[in-house]
Amino acid sequence: MPRSPVLLRDARLEDCERSVAVLARNGLVVPTDPEAARRSWEWLWGRNPAMAGRQLPMGWVLESDSDIVGFFGNIPRRYHYEGRDVLAGVGSSWAVDPGFRSGARPMLATWFAQREADLLLATTAMQSVGRALLKFSAVPMPQASYQQVLYWVLDAAGFLQSALRKKEVRAPLTRAAGFALSPLATAVVTARGRPGRLRAGLEPDVVRAPLTSAAGLALSPLATPVLTARGRPGRLRAGLEPEVVDLSEVGEQFDDLWRRKNAEERRLYASRTAEDLRWHFEPGAQAGTVEVLCCRRHGRLDGYVVVLRTETHDIGLVRAKIADLLVADDDARVVDALLAGAYQWGRSNGCHVLELTGLPPAIRTVAERSRPLIRALPTHPFLYKALTPELQVALEAEEAWYPSLYDGDTTLV
């Protein structure tokens, strides 16, 4: 019997349940409970601050016999460059059922053909997706160090156990080896130093809101500690203890910092208004997996860091990821204090490692003073295509970017 024609059309909120089913059966990690899926879609598109201006499609579906057989998400994000608004379309959650894969390329072509956006971003692209994007003239974001994740081991025994599980060492041996080797690992870790120093007058506050894999580690039961567990970050100082602040309290002081930061340099920034931050980290705040640490000087907010707690359940690895960090004038003393606060938070919340991805050279230089370990990502996950002549020229320069896990959909999905 001949197959019914396949229709490519704009996605709608009412497509949620059938679209999520496509993603799940093609291996993507998504909330499959219908009520949870609807809440997620309503948050991503219904309450997204970027939906208030120019309208972008929320994505596209492939439909056959009234059933959805493919989905490509398009999440609008507000950006700014030289004080001007930039609307970005973020490609996200792309899957097509077997037997309908010929429709995958038209979906991607439709994303690239949208003209309401100024910029297209793909920040979580696997190697196969990256190859497809390159064929449509997307290019990697020009910061090579984005592929180099800086990390510090917080819990040597837990880290080693998860690393051994990844190598499929049997559970009893992972526990024994982890604890037996942790003294050696801890000694090497401590010798490497800690990121950041807390300074008087730069006490971090914490605003509530939620490890990359150990794939790059060449592990064996005896060599692992020597090769990988060498760094221990952070050194807290009296009078600079972190303070926890609820996400709901992110308000005018954050808007003031954002206005000052946005005026400093010719950089492309994802919008960090209080409204955007509260929306972005709302799910993490509800799940208790996000904290925002703040530094104030003379009562004025001079910087914050957002730390995200994630767990890789199959190997038991718990990561504290620096999801975002913003400091007035990239002041090294404030960066130092915030990194130390992030380390303290990770240790207190049972994390095995603290990770930093991206961020401009001035901030990475401060982090690198503690000689962190480095893990290379297998491919550059952050690609873009500028759709305006001005951005096409400007974004070729590395210094035009302020990349972090806050960009695109990296900490959204």
Side-chain angles (χ1 to χ4, degrees), residues 172-190:
L173 291 178
T174 66
R175 288 192 295 273
F179 285 110
L181 295 173
S182 63
L184 172 60
T186 300
V188 183
V189 165
T190 304

PDB file of all heavy atoms in Angstrom, residues 172-190:
ATOM      1  N   PRO A 172      31.800  -3.997  43.260  1.00  0.00           N
ATOM      2  CA  PRO A 172      32.590  -4.123  44.493  1.00  0.00           C
ATOM      3  C   PRO A 172      34.012  -3.611  44.311  1.00  0.00           C
ATOM      4  O   PRO A 172      34.592  -3.012  45.201  1.00  0.00           O
ATOM      5  CB  PRO A 172      32.555  -5.630  44.794  1.00  0.00           C
ATOM      6  CG  PRO A 172      31.319  -6.122  44.099  1.00  0.00           C
ATOM      7  CD  PRO A 172      31.220  -5.296  42.849  1.00  0.00           C
ATOM      8  N   LEU A 173      34.583  -3.855  43.122  1.00  0.00           N
ATOM      9  CA  LEU A 173      35.941  -3.398  42.876  1.00  0.00           C
ATOM     10  C   LEU A 173      36.001  -1.887  42.743  1.00  0.00           C
ATOM     11  O   LEU A 173      36.980  -1.265  43.140  1.00  0.00           O
ATOM     12  CB  LEU A 173      36.489  -4.055  41.600  1.00  0.00           C
ATOM     13  CG  LEU A 173      36.746  -5.563  41.700  1.00  0.00           C
ATOM     14  CD1 LEU A 173      37.236  -6.094  40.358  1.00  0.00           C
ATOM     15  CD2 LEU A 173      37.769  -5.862  42.803  1.00  0.00           C
ATOM     16  N   THR A 174      34.945  -1.276  42.186  1.00  0.00           N
ATOM     17  CA  THR A 174      34.984   0.190  42.048  1.00  0.00           C
ATOM     18  C   THR A 174      34.998   0.847  43.411  1.00  0.00           C
ATOM     19  O   THR A 174      35.706   1.826  43.635  1.00  0.00           O
ATOM     20  CB  THR A 174      33.778   0.706  41.245  1.00  0.00           C
ATOM     21  OG1 THR A 174      32.579   0.473  41.968  1.00  0.00           O
ATOM     22  CG2 THR A 174      33.701   0.070  39.881  1.00  0.00           C
ATOM     23  N   ARG A 175      34.210   0.321  44.348  1.00  0.00           N
ATOM     24  CA  ARG A 175      34.198   0.910  45.682  1.00  0.00           C
ATOM     25  C   ARG A 175      35.542   0.723  46.371  1.00  0.00           C
ATOM     26  O   ARG A 175      36.103   1.655  46.946  1.00  0.00           O
ATOM     27  CB  ARG A 175      33.078   0.285  46.524  1.00  0.00           C
ATOM     28  CG  ARG A 175      31.681   0.723  46.103  1.00  0.00           C
ATOM     29  CD  ARG A 175      30.657   0.313  47.146  1.00  0.00           C
ATOM     30  NE  ARG A 175      30.539  -1.141  47.246  1.00  0.00           N
ATOM     31  CZ  ARG A 175      29.724  -1.872  46.485  1.00  0.00           C
ATOM     32  NH1 ARG A 175      28.964  -1.287  45.588  1.00  0.00           N
ATOM     33  NH2 ARG A 175      29.665  -3.180  46.637  1.00  0.00           N
ATOM     34  N   ALA A 176      36.077  -0.492  46.307  1.00  0.00           N
ATOM     35  CA  ALA A 176      37.342  -0.768  46.970  1.00  0.00           C
ATOM     36  C   ALA A 176      38.469   0.060  46.369  1.00  0.00           C
ATOM     37  O   ALA A 176      39.266   0.671  47.080  1.00  0.00           O
ATOM     38  CB  ALA A 176      37.670  -2.270  46.858  1.00  0.00           C
ATOM     39  N   ALA A 177      38.527   0.083  45.039  1.00  0.00           N
ATOM     40  CA  ALA A 177      39.599   0.821  44.385  1.00  0.00           C
ATOM     41  C   ALA A 177      39.465   2.309  44.628  1.00  0.00           C
ATOM     42  O   ALA A 177      40.447   3.013  44.853  1.00  0.00           O
ATOM     43  CB  ALA A 177      39.588   0.523  42.880  1.00  0.00           C
ATOM     44  N   GLY A 178      38.212   2.800  44.592  1.00  0.00           N
ATOM     45  CA  GLY A 178      38.004   4.232  44.793  1.00  0.00           C
ATOM     46  C   GLY A 178      38.514   4.690  46.142  1.00  0.00           C
ATOM     47  O   GLY A 178      39.249   5.670  46.252  1.00  0.00           O
ATOM     48  N   PHE A 179      38.150   3.960  47.195  1.00  0.00           N
ATOM     49  CA  PHE A 179      38.558   4.374  48.533  1.00  0.00           C
ATOM     50  C   PHE A 179      40.041   4.097  48.779  1.00  0.00           C
ATOM     51  O   PHE A 179      40.724   4.859  49.459  1.00  0.00           O
ATOM     52  CB  PHE A 179      37.701   3.691  49.598  1.00  0.00           C
ATOM     53  CG  PHE A 179      36.336   4.278  49.682  1.00  0.00           C
ATOM     54  CD1 PHE A 179      35.221   3.570  49.249  1.00  0.00           C
ATOM     55  CD2 PHE A 179      36.148   5.567  50.166  1.00  0.00           C
ATOM     56  CE1 PHE A 179      33.957   4.132  49.308  1.00  0.00           C
ATOM     57  CE2 PHE A 179      34.879   6.130  50.229  1.00  0.00           C
ATOM     58  CZ  PHE A 179      33.788   5.415  49.801  1.00  0.00           C
ATOM     59  N   ALA A 180      40.554   3.007  48.205  1.00  0.00           N
ATOM     60  CA  ALA A 180      41.967   2.686  48.410  1.00  0.00           C
ATOM     61  C   ALA A 180      42.867   3.708  47.731  1.00  0.00           C
ATOM     62  O   ALA A 180      43.927   4.056  48.244  1.00  0.00           O
ATOM     63  CB  ALA A 180      42.263   1.278  47.876  1.00  0.00           C
ATOM     64  N   LEU A 181      42.449   4.159  46.572  1.00  0.00           N
ATOM     65  CA  LEU A 181      43.288   5.068  45.811  1.00  0.00           C
ATOM     66  C   LEU A 181      43.040   6.537  46.146  1.00  0.00           C
ATOM     67  O   LEU A 181      43.815   7.401  45.758  1.00  0.00           O
ATOM     68  CB  LEU A 181      43.058   4.858  44.307  1.00  0.00           C
ATOM     69  CG  LEU A 181      43.472   3.489  43.771  1.00  0.00           C
ATOM     70  CD1 LEU A 181      43.046   3.349  42.321  1.00  0.00           C
ATOM     71  CD2 LEU A 181      44.973   3.284  43.905  1.00  0.00           C
ATOM     72  N   SER A 182      41.966   6.840  46.862  1.00  0.00           N
ATOM     73  CA  SER A 182      41.638   8.242  47.098  1.00  0.00           C
ATOM     74  C   SER A 182      42.702   9.005  47.869  1.00  0.00           C
ATOM     75  O   SER A 182      42.913  10.188  47.601  1.00  0.00           O
ATOM     76  CB  SER A 182      40.278   8.370  47.797  1.00  0.00           C
ATOM     77  OG  SER A 182      40.324   7.756  49.070  1.00  0.00           O
ATOM     78  N   PRO A 183      43.444   8.406  48.848  1.00  0.00           N
ATOM     79  CA  PRO A 183      44.487   9.202  49.500  1.00  0.00           C
ATOM     80  C   PRO A 183      45.551   9.689  48.532  1.00  0.00           C
ATOM     81  O   PRO A 183      45.991  10.835  48.599  1.00  0.00           O
ATOM     82  CB  PRO A 183      45.065   8.228  50.543  1.00  0.00           C
ATOM     83  CG  PRO A 183      43.953   7.266  50.811  1.00  0.00           C
ATOM     84  CD  PRO A 183      43.262   7.096  49.493  1.00  0.00           C
ATOM     85  N   LEU A 184      45.969   8.795  47.608  1.00  0.00           N
ATOM     86  CA  LEU A 184      46.942   9.209  46.611  1.00  0.00           C
ATOM     87  C   LEU A 184      46.357  10.274  45.703  1.00  0.00           C
ATOM     88  O   LEU A 184      46.988  11.295  45.414  1.00  0.00           O
ATOM     89  CB  LEU A 184      47.379   7.999  45.781  1.00  0.00           C
ATOM     90  CG  LEU A 184      48.261   8.302  44.552  1.00  0.00           C
ATOM     91  CD1 LEU A 184      49.549   8.994  44.983  1.00  0.00           C
ATOM     92  CD2 LEU A 184      48.558   7.023  43.787  1.00  0.00           C
ATOM     93  N   ALA A 185      45.112  10.039  45.262  1.00  0.00           N
ATOM     94  CA  ALA A 185      44.481  11.012  44.371  1.00  0.00           C
ATOM     95  C   ALA A 185      44.330  12.354  45.059  1.00  0.00           C
ATOM     96  O   ALA A 185      44.588  13.404  44.466  1.00  0.00           O
ATOM     97  CB  ALA A 185      43.104  10.502  43.932  1.00  0.00           C
ATOM     98  N   THR A 186      43.917  12.343  46.331  1.00  0.00           N
ATOM     99  CA  THR A 186      43.722  13.587  47.064  1.00  0.00           C
ATOM    100  C   THR A 186      45.033  14.352  47.180  1.00  0.00           C
ATOM    101  O   THR A 186      45.069  15.580  47.045  1.00  0.00           O
ATOM    102  CB  THR A 186      43.151  13.306  48.462  1.00  0.00           C
ATOM    103  OG1 THR A 186      41.905  12.646  48.303  1.00  0.00           O
ATOM    104  CG2 THR A 186      42.941  14.594  49.247  1.00  0.00           C
ATOM    105  N   ALA A 187      46.118  13.651  47.446  1.00  0.00           N
ATOM    106  CA  ALA A 187      47.408  14.324  47.574  1.00  0.00           C
ATOM    107  C   ALA A 187      47.805  15.013  46.279  1.00  0.00           C
ATOM    108  O   ALA A 187      48.275  16.147  46.280  1.00  0.00           O
ATOM    109  CB  ALA A 187      48.479  13.305  47.970  1.00  0.00           C
ATOM    110  N   VAL A 188      47.581  14.324  45.153  1.00  0.00           N
ATOM    111  CA  VAL A 188      47.942  14.928  43.874  1.00  0.00           C
ATOM    112  C   VAL A 188      47.019  16.083  43.546  1.00  0.00           C
ATOM    113  O   VAL A 188      47.426  17.126  43.049  1.00  0.00           O
ATOM    114  CB  VAL A 188      47.897  13.863  42.755  1.00  0.00           C
ATOM    115  CG1 VAL A 188      48.338  14.458  41.440  1.00  0.00           C
ATOM    116  CG2 VAL A 188      48.776  12.686  43.115  1.00  0.00           C
ATOM    117  N   VAL A 189      45.717  15.897  43.865  1.00  0.00           N
ATOM    118  CA  VAL A 189      44.731  16.938  43.630  1.00  0.00           C
ATOM    119  C   VAL A 189      45.099  18.206  44.389  1.00  0.00           C
ATOM    120  O   VAL A 189      45.111  19.303  43.857  1.00  0.00           O
ATOM    121  CB  VAL A 189      43.333  16.456  44.070  1.00  0.00           C
ATOM    122  CG1 VAL A 189      42.374  17.632  44.187  1.00  0.00           C
ATOM    123  CG2 VAL A 189      42.790  15.462  43.072  1.00  0.00           C
ATOM    124  N   THR A 190      45.436  18.045  45.695  1.00  0.00           N
ATOM    125  CA  THR A 190      45.731  19.205  46.522  1.00  0.00           C
ATOM    126  C   THR A 190      46.943  19.950  46.007  1.00  0.00           C
ATOM    127  O   THR A 190      47.007  21.182  46.050  1.00  0.00           O
ATOM    128  CB  THR A 190      45.962  18.757  47.979  1.00  0.00           C
ATOM    129  OG1 THR A 190      44.820  18.033  48.407  1.00  0.00           O
ATOM    130  CG2 THR A 190      46.187  19.940  48.893  1.00  0.00           C
TER     131      THR A 190
END
